[in-house]
Amino acid sequence: DDGAVRFYDYMFRLEAWFEDLGAGAITSVSFSAAAADDADGAAAAKPGATSLDFAVPDFVVGTRSATILGLEAALFREIDSTARRGTVLVQGMADEVHGVACHPHKPLLLIACFSGGLYLWDYAEKLLVMVRMFNAERLKPVTVAFDPSGEYVAVGFASGVVKLLDPRELQDLFS
């Protein structure tokens, strides 16, 4: 539930942890079929092995927010926390879709979810460009629209609030 993946040895001692994923509660873990190799190319540690290095195959995790991350065991040694987040393989919608709008001149699609999320997709490249999350207790987006020039995005919320956003960064234009 805390969004972390932890590895323990056969004595239930903590071996490695991946706590900076920032993708929500973990619901599943799946390992690569390829054998894990450490930096020297040796096979992964087996029960009874004496190696002190942490070695597991690359793995993917699924989260409650419909995100799938690809992780490499070497990320455990990474010092910068932003580099330990893994690679987003799939970013799904966390709740019901209530609004969809296409940019008038670019291959962009903006999707509003009742969970508070705005998802900007490049449908030509099939790539998630940006996500903006609102506090769903206060602001649940229910409709979105680009203006005819594509310079602004209007977002209407269930509470009656309307926000104008910059479509490139999904940031408020006026406060």
Side-chain angles (χ1 to χ4, degrees), residues 11-74:
M11 300 291 293
F12 295 107
R13 294 177 297 207
L14 186 62
E15 290 282 323
W17 53 92
F18 296 80
E19 295 184 342
D20 298 308
L21 304 178
I26 306 297
T27 58
S28 61
V29 177
S30 180
F31 293 94
S32 169
D37 290 340
D38 63 20
D40 300 326
K46 302 281 189 268
T50 59
S51 173
L52 297 178
D53 288 336
F54 171 70
V56 297
D58 294 343
F59 59 100
V60 296
V61 296
T63 70
R64 194 174 296 148
S65 63
T67 301
I68 299 174
L69 298 173
L71 296 156
E72 299 174 9

Side-chain angles (χ1 to χ4, degrees), residues 101 103 110 118 120 143-147 150-155 162-168 170-171 173:
H103 192 282
L110 185 61
L118 291 179
L120 184 64
T143 187
V144 292
F146 286 93
D147 76 301
E151 294 294 316
Y152 307 101
V153 171
V155 182
V162 175
K163 289 185 173 272
L164 286 178
L165 307 179
D166 176 344
R168 292 170 290 281
L170 298 180
Q171 295 301 315
L173 290 173

Side-chain angles (χ1 to χ4, degrees), residues 5-165:
V5 177
R6 295 179 188 94
F7 291 88
Y8 296 89
D9 67 8
Y10 290 100
M11 300 291 293
F12 295 107
R13 294 177 297 207
L14 186 62
E15 290 282 323
W17 53 92
F18 296 80
E19 295 184 342
D20 298 308
L21 304 178
I26 306 297
T27 58
S28 61
V29 177
S30 180
F31 293 94
S32 169
D37 290 340
D38 63 20
D40 300 326
K46 302 281 189 268
T50 59
S51 173
L52 297 178
D53 288 336
F54 171 70
V56 297
D58 294 343
F59 59 100
V60 296
V61 296
T63 70
R64 194 174 296 148
S65 63
T67 301
I68 299 174
L69 298 173
L71 296 156
E72 299 174 9
L75 291 177
F76 171 67
R77 295 181 187 94
E78 185 64 49
I79 295 173
D80 180 18
S81 65
T82 59
R84 291 192 301 253
R85 294 178 186 249
T87 303
V88 176
L89 303 175
V90 175
Q91 174 72 52
M93 304 302 137
D95 206 341
E96 300 172 29
V97 172
H98 278 263
V100 177
C102 285
H103 192 282
H105 309 295
K106 297 178 182 176
L108 297 175
L109 178 71
L110 185 61
I111 301 171
C113 287
F114 216 52
S115 63
L118 291 179
Y119 300 86
L120 184 64
W121 286 87
D122 180 328
Y123 58 82
E125 297 291 325
K126 297 175 180 54
L127 177 70
L128 179 65
V129 176
M130 186 165 305
V131 176
R132 165 109 187 247
M133 295 301 294
F134 292 96
N135 180 345
E137 292 177 14
R138 294 186 10 226
L139 296 172
K140 293 184 180 203
V142 293
T143 187
V144 292
F146 286 93
D147 76 301
S149 68
E151 294 294 316
Y152 307 101
V153 171
V155 182
F157 297 89
S159 62
V161 172
V162 175
K163 289 185 173 272
L164 286 178
L165 307 179

